[in-house]
Amino acid sequence: MPRRGARALIRFYQVTLSALMGRQCRHLPTCSSYADTAIDHFGLWAGGWMALARILRCNPWGSSGFDPVPENLPKAGRWYAPWRYAQWTGGHIDPATRLDASD
């Protein structure tokens, strides 16, 4: 039930606020799509932490590029240490996929 509620809130954001603000996400897939997929695959606890880290990375000084939801949870992730589920820096993103590269 909490998973469905979170996904409904994400969908509500996608069809209302996101449409008004315009596409400004620095990653592909977008942060809201990433959050929806992470919560769908890994549940609200682990997926929510993954989504939080992704949203915090999406800023002018953060990472950019192709950053899909991982296929599996990190081995270091534990329910009592949920921050370990997330990738807090953009070091895992291939530099060739950067969307803001200035050449």
Side-chain angles (χ1 to χ4, degrees), residues 70-89:
E71 302 231 352
N72 301 307
L73 287 174
K75 294 184 191 299
R78 301 287 184 265
W79 68 268
Y80 54 83
W83 55 88
R84 293 182 181 170
Y85 291 124
Q87 296 171 324
W88 296 96
T89 66

Side-chain angles (χ1 to χ4, degrees), residues 29-52:
T30 64
C31 292
S32 59
S33 294
Y34 183 96
D36 187 47
T37 304
I39 291 170
D40 183 42
H41 282 67
F42 302 117
L44 185 57
W45 188 246
W49 280 93
M50 295 168 89
L52 175 64

Side-chain angles (χ1 to χ4, degrees), residues 1-9 39 43-45:
M1 207 55 163
R3 182 186 306 199
R4 286 185 187 170
R7 292 187 70 211
L9 287 174
I39 291 170
L44 185 57
W45 188 246

Side-chain angles (χ1 to χ4, degrees), residues 2 6 10 12 19 25 27 30 33 36 39 41-43 52 54-56 60 68-69 71 80 83 90 94 98-99:
I10 292 168
F12 177 77
C25 192
H27 297 96
T30 64
S33 294
D36 187 47
I39 291 170
H41 282 67
F42 302 117
L52 175 64
R54 168 65 177 275
I55 291 167
L56 292 176
V69 174
E71 302 231 352
Y80 54 83
W83 55 88
D94 181 6
R98 285 188 64 95
L99 300 176

